């Protein structure tokens, strides 16, 4: 998969376009050694009390005056105005709350779950259950909402439930974590509670200094006793005192959640991540000054690339909300003039699971301030969230002038592009037939051009499939000689002929002169200063070869030039019949609909019988398709499972899944011997419970950049042992659970294992996998197979690769085409499928994504891929490489935005799924039958007579003859 999936987390997933990713375990290990807050959950209650008594920094008063609290409520308006507890009455479920090593859930209002504690009308409450220790309870991080020197009052409505007699004590406690990771516990108050009625636990506390982390929690009842909580209020009697701290109050959606964002208050709320931080008004003898404000900060004495400046934003980030990040940054020192600078989020979940989310990156320099921008979203309610800057080489300072993190504004919906006079099928190349010599053409570089004869008269097949019947070509071609650089060739300016948002197909015949080895030939476009790939092919003989590709331009250029390049200097280049024309996708879709109906539907006859069958003529029949049997799937990740909205969309609209990272070797064994199958196990369990099948992706990955450092460091013998252990461990653990495996990903683009262990290793991987688990279909899997833009993996080469594996005994059972594609053209995709289909193996699109700023264009691209795949007889499944914004490997590829709104591409997908389901209805005919043509899948028929309603489920499978289903109504 040529890029890193944004499924949040491991070292690299596919390629540099990642929006959410995670650092390597190696960097995590290093970070653990830096002075970051750590929390010890399993503390002894008595030890916590002892530590409280020894701590001179904190005070608590559990003799809280209820009358004073009431008067204060009147003076300040209400507790709600200053309550620092989020979701204090559990109206938003357990949002912002975390069970501490136990379970918790919220009981809806009026449910009568605990009969002895009848909640008032309209109130819900939390139940903390499965408690094994008295200190286990419910907690909330309030770090960002408390300040030193202020007094806070606590009032909690609590109860208990269990087998005890009488009453038990409920305690309110603070956990305080300091800079050196020292942890102490502050007892606030306690209250005897029973099953009979709700009790009010009241107390107060103040902090003389501000710890790094402050966590409030309720605890106390004996193990096995449920703790019930109806509401919690922590308020500051003096709202002025709280507000002046600069850390109080819950941020609104439009607030910057960063405290002291421009360093007006020095380095308050900022710290170094494994390094030191310093405040400046200037640097480098006054050459570096703030871009705005009076100050900027630096992360200095950095010894690792992950060292940087950080701020803890725990409690200020809401789950399932998208945040946009903007920072003004630069670098300084160590003779580094330019470096990748990244913003990253460290997230610690309630179960102590850690991950690192890449937010954004920018190429920072030592010359000017630059803006770093990105977005992120957190699905769960973590116990800790820290944002930090990292990336430049050790010894280089990171400078930051300001940082803003706000709730991301929703992007306005796209409008369909308005294209006048599209001219579908009209060639925009001047003098393509060369009837007027080389008029309209010019040589790019110091080479010579002449017109010769002897090229093919027929249109290249892929263009013919798009254009239909067409005049023969002229048989003339351009000969380019005296080439001294590989980029030299024939060129033409087409600036005024290219229209925005139109997808153009590229087609030509190309040939080369005498050469000693294979040569690449490329139709390229120079769009201002950008190179655009219009198609490539590899030539190693003296025959004419078809070259085909596509492109689209979405921003108005000042100059567009098309040119043909590629062969080495000194090799003559010949070009004939270059065609560049906009494709009519709608016309292609009409053709594909007919093909789809022939391939994916079957005639069905329902025959009704029974005692009442004679009187059924004219009775209404309703048939409903429950599910299409064709696999439509998507990539998912463990962090997605924490978002119930994601889960609902996924389960409803897909029947297959693939894990973005969680089964890959760099994920399951990031450090040698430390196996992590927890994420994969949880994902597999989720899919199994929802009747979703899962592709196993992947056992190995040939691209060296995806191989863990410890694997790369092994000698040949140890590497062979590690490979065998990986195969044995994975295939035996999940035996029979994955119907597919991608055995060695992207062998057309990488060769790490082959280079280190010899060519036979690839075949042996397939053989060993099959021996360990004979049930799965074993796939090859690669990218740029279907789009004509990569000579390493075009269909003919992929076929040679598969045949070579099979000839040496590899049990290759399926062909994976990833489908990361830009501006797809149906006939080009279909041509690749036709060629690969000659192998007789099932083809799956395994990682489909398309990208465009415009949702309508993105929807069109997606429709091309889905229709071409579904209409082709060799294709047996389609997997999307994600669908949710910020959790995909490419930007502007999502179907659903970060906060759950379905965009035009998502609507198109759903419309196609609806089109490909059958819901016929009508009346029983005189023969007691009802006939229809339906897509393959499961169905339910319903017939309502005067006396009864009859329903029956049935399956429409593949078959040439009509399927007859008997329905007994007796």
């Amino acid at each position: 998969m040529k890029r890193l999936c944004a499924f949040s987390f491991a070292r690299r997933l596919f390629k540099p376009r990642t929006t959410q990713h995670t650092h390597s375990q190696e960097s995590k290990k290093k970070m653990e050694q830096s002075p970051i807050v750590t929390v010890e959950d399993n503390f002894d209650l008595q030890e916590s009390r002892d530590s409280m008594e020894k701590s001179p920094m904190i005070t608590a008063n559990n003799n809280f005056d209820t009358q004073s609290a009431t008067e204060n409520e009147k003076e300040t308006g209400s507790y709600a105005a200053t309550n620092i507890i989020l979701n204090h009455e559990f109206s938003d479920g357990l949002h912002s709350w975390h069970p501490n090593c136990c379970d918790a859930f919220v009981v809806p209002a009026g449910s009568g779950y605990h009969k002895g504690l009848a909640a008032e009308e309209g109130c819900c409450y939390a139940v903390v259950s499965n408690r094994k220790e008295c200190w286990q309870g419910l907690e909330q991080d309030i770090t960002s909402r408390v300040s030193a020197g202020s007094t806070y009052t606590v009032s909690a409505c609590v109860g208990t439930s269990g087998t005890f007699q009488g009453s038990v004590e409920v305690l309110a406690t603070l956990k305080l974590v300091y800079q050196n990771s020292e942890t102490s516990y502050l007892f606030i108050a306690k209250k005897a509670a029973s099953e009979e009625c709700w009790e009010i636990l009241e107390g107060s506390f103040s902090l003389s200094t501000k710890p790094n982390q402050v966590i409030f929690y309720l605890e106390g009842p004996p193990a096995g006793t449920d703790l019930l909580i109806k509401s919690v209020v922590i308020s500051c009697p003096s709202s002025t005192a709280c507000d002046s701290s600069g850390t109080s109050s819950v941020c609104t959606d439009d607030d910057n959640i960063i405290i002291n964002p421009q360093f007006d208050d020095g380095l308050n709320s900022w710290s170094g991540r494994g390094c030191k931080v310093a405040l400046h008004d200037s640097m480098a003898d006054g050459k570096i000054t703030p871009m705005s404000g009076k100050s900027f900060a630096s992360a200095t004495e950095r010894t690792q690339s992950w060292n940087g400046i950080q701020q803890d934003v725990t409690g200020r980030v809401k789950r399932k909300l998208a945040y946009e990040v903007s920072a003004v940054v630069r670098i300084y020192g160590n003779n580094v003039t330019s470096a990748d600078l990244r913003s990253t989020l460290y997230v610690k979940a309630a179960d102590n699971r850690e991950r690192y989310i890449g937010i954004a990156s920018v190429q920072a320099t030592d010359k000017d301030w630059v803006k770093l921008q990105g977005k992120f979203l957190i699905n769960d309610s973590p116990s800790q969230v820290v944002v930090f800057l990292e990336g430049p080489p050790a010894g280089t300072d990171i400078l930051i002038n300001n940082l803003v993190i706000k709730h991301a504004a929703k992007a306005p919906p796209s409008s369909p592009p308005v294209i006048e006079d599209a001219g579908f099928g009209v060639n925009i190349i001047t003098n393509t037939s060369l009837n007027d010599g080389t008029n309209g053409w010019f040589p790019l570089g110091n080479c010579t051009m002449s017109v010769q004869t002897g090229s093919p008269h027929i249109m290249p097949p892929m263009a013919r499939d798009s254009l239909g019947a067409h005049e023969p070509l002229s048989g003339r071609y351009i000969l380019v000689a005296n080439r001294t650089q590989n980029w030299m060739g024939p060129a033409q300016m087409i600036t005024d002929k290219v229209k925005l948002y139109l997808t153009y197909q590229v087609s030509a015949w190309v040939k080369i002169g005498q050469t000693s080895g294979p040569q690449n030939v490329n139709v390229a476009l120079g769009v201002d200063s950008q190179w655009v790939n219009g198609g490539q092919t590899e030539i190693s003989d003296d025959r004419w070869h078809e070259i085909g590709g596509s492109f689209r331009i979405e921003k108005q250029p000042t100059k567009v030039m098309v040119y043909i390049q590629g062969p080495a200097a000194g090799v003559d280049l010949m070009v004939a019949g270059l065609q560049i024309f906009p494709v009519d996708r709608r016309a292609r879709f009409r053709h594909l609909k007919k093909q789809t109906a022939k391939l994916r539907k079957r005639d069905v006859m329902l025959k009704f019988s029974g005692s009442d069958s004679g009187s059924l003529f004219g009775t209404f029949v309703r048939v409903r398709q429950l599910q299409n049997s064709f696999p439509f799937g998507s990539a998912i990740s463990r962090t997605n499972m924490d978002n119930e909205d994601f889960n609902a969309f996924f389960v409803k609209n897909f029947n297959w899944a693939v894990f973005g990272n969680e089964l890959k070797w760099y994920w399951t064994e990031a450090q040698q011997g430390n196996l992590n199958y927890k994420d994969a196990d949880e994902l597999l369990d989720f899919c199994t419970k929802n009747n979703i099948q899962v592709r196993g992706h992947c056992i190995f990955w040939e691209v060296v950049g995806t191989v863990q450092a410890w694997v790369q460091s092994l000698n040949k013998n140890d590497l062979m042992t590690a490979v065998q252990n990986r195969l044995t461990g994975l295939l035996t653990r999940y035996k029979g659970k994955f119907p597919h495996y991608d055995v060695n990903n992207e062998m057309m683009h990488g060769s790490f294992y082959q280079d280190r262990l010899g060519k036979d290793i690839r075949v042996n991987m397939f053989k060993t996998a099959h021996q360990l688990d004979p049930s799965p279909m074993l796939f090859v899997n690669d990218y740029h197979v279907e789009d004509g833009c990569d000579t390493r993996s075009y269909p003919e080469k992929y076929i040679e690769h598969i045949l070579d594996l099979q000839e040496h005994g590899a049990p290759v059972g399926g062909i994976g085409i990833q489908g990361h594609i830009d501006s797809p053209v149906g006939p080009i995709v279909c041509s690749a499928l036709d060629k690969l289909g000659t192998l007789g193996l099932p083809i799956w699109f395994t990682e489909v994504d398309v990208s465009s700023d415009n949702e309508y264009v993105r929807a069109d691209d997606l429709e091309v891929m889905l229709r071409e795949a579904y209409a082709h007889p060799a294709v047996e499944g389609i997997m999307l490489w994600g669908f949710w914004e910020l959790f995909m490997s490419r930007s502007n590829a999502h179907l659903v935005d970060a906060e759950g709104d379905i965009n035009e591409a998502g609507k198109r997908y759903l419309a196609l799924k609806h089109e490909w389901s059958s819901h016929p209805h009508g009346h029983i005919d005189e023969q007691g039958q009802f006939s229809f043509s339906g897509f393959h899948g499961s169905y339910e028929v319903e017939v309502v007579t005067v006396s009864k309603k009859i329903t029956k489920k049935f399956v429409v499978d593949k078959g040439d003859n009509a399927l007859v289903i008997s329905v007994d109504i007796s």
Side-chain angles (χ1 to χ4, degrees), residues 8 30 70 82 112 163 220 224 256 315 332 345 356 567 636 702 736 769 780 893 897 911 926 963:
S8 88
K30 293 173 182 175
T70 305
T82 58
T163 58
N256 183 7
Y332 176 74
L345 212 63
Y356 295 82
I636 59 175
E702 270 283 22
V780 293
D897 77 12
E926 293 177 339
L963 176 67

Side-chain angles (χ1 to χ4, degrees), residues 38-354:
T38 59
V39 180
E40 175 60 54
D41 287 322
N42 301 320
F43 72 98
D44 180 81
L45 193 58
Q46 183 58 46
E47 288 178 0
S48 74
R49 291 169 179 161
D50 293 341
S51 66
M52 284 188 294
E53 293 168 359
K54 296 173 184 177
S55 174
M57 304 167 63
I58 50 183
T59 61
N61 176 21
N62 59 348
N63 298 317
F64 176 65
D65 188 342
T66 307
Q67 180 64 34
S68 299
T70 305
E71 292 173 357
N72 178 68
E73 182 179 358
K74 293 176 181 177
E75 291 172 3
T76 58
S78 70
Y79 280 129
T82 58
N83 188 8
I84 66 172
I85 290 293
L86 306 179
N87 186 28
H88 74 291
E89 291 182 327
F90 305 99
S91 58
D92 194 16
L94 287 174
H95 175 57
S96 299
W97 291 94
H98 308 284
N100 185 3
C101 300
C102 51
D103 297 331
F105 57 93
V106 172
V107 175
S111 67
Y113 184 82
H114 291 88
K115 300 298 182 183
L117 293 172
E120 290 94 347
E121 190 68 27
C123 294
C124 50
Y125 58 94
V127 178
V128 187
S129 62
N130 196 25
R131 299 174 62 253
K132 303 295 193 300
E133 302 286 348
C134 63
W135 51 262
Q136 294 176 349
L138 200 61
E139 66 182 29
Q140 184 171 137
D141 192 313
I142 59 173
T143 308
S144 62
R145 304 188 293 280
V146 295
S147 61
S150 297
T151 299
Y152 295 86
T153 59
V154 178
S155 177
C157 185
V158 297
T160 54
S161 178
T163 58
F164 60 89
Q165 298 293 322
S167 62
V168 295
E169 289 187 340
V170 178
L171 283 67
T173 309
L174 288 183
K175 180 191 293 184
L176 309 173
V177 184
Y178 296 94
Q179 180 66 44
N180 59 1
S181 299
E182 178 185 343
T183 301
S184 64
Y185 299 89
L186 172 61
F187 167 72
I188 300 173
K190 64 182 178 180
K191 182 72 176 180
S194 69
E195 293 185 297
E196 301 303 320
C197 61
W198 293 102
E199 301 289 349
I200 303 298
L201 183 157
E202 297 174 319
S204 66
F205 68 88
S206 64
L207 306 174
S208 58
T209 61
K210 176 71 177 289
N212 277 36
Q213 191 174 31
V214 182
I215 296 176
F216 171 83
Y217 63 101
L218 294 167
E219 54 165 337
T225 301
D226 288 355
L227 171 59
L228 281 54
I229 308 166
K230 189 163 68 171
S231 66
V232 180
V233 174
I234 300 180
S235 59
C236 183
S238 171
S239 59
T240 304
C242 292
D243 294 341
S244 65
S245 70
T247 61
S248 69
S249 76
V250 180
C251 298
T252 67
D253 287 349
D254 295 327
D255 287 339
N256 183 7
I257 68 171
I258 293 296
I259 299 169
N260 188 25
Q262 284 196 291
F263 307 98
D264 295 330
D265 192 17
L267 292 173
N268 178 41
S269 299
W270 295 93
S271 61
R273 192 170 186 85
C275 62
K276 294 182 179 179
V277 292
L279 187 69
H280 309 269
D281 54 14
S282 68
M283 285 180 67
D285 297 326
K287 295 178 182 177
I288 300 177
T289 58
M291 184 175 180
S292 62
K294 298 179 180 179
S295 306
F296 61 92
S298 67
T300 188
E301 298 184 26
R302 299 173 61 250
T303 60
Q304 303 288 339
S305 63
W306 55 264
N307 296 158
I309 186 169
Q310 66 178 3
Q311 184 169 134
D312 192 312
V313 294
T314 308
R316 285 173 268 154
V317 179
K318 299 178 182 179
R319 68 184 292 258
K320 300 198 303 181
L321 280 188
Y323 289 88
E324 52 190 6
V325 179
S326 177
V328 175
V329 296
R330 66 190 294 170
I331 59 173
Y332 176 74
N334 201 29
N335 295 318
V336 175
T337 59
S338 178
D340 182 53
L341 197 157
R342 302 186 297 274
S343 60
T344 305
L345 212 63
Y346 165 78
V347 180
K348 184 177 183 180
D351 62 359
N352 293 327
R353 194 180 328 216
E354 296 176 314

Side-chain angles (χ1 to χ4, degrees), residues 848-907:
V848 173
D849 59 19
V850 294
S851 176
S852 174
D853 290 346
N854 188 287
E855 295 172 7
Y856 288 85
V857 176
R858 191 188 317 161
D860 288 346
D861 284 353
L862 182 63
E863 186 171 356
V864 169
M865 294 301 292
L866 295 178
R867 285 197 184 277
E868 291 293 340
Y870 197 51
H872 200 282
V875 177
E876 295 191 5
I878 304 169
M879 307 291 295
L880 303 186
W881 201 234
F883 58 88
W884 201 276
E885 185 185 13
L886 301 182
F887 295 91
M888 300 190 68
S889 62
R890 300 171 70 186
S891 59
N892 299 313
H894 56 281
L895 282 61
V896 182
D897 77 12
E899 296 180 2
D901 292 331
I902 302 172
N903 62 29
E904 188 60 33
K907 293 174 183 176

Side-chain angles (χ1 to χ4, degrees), residues 123 135 137 330 505 594 637 641 684 719 821:
C123 294
W135 51 262
R330 66 190 294 170
Q505 184 172 344
K594 297 176 183 178
S637 68
M641 299 301 96
L684 186 59
L719 177 58
I821 192 169

Side-chain angles (χ1 to χ4, degrees), residues 9-22:
F9 353 108
R11 189 158 67 101
R12 47 188 149 290
L13 323 181
F14 324 118
K15 262 194 179 161
R17 288 182 176 172
T18 306
T19 39
Q20 294 211 166
H21 71 281
T22 305

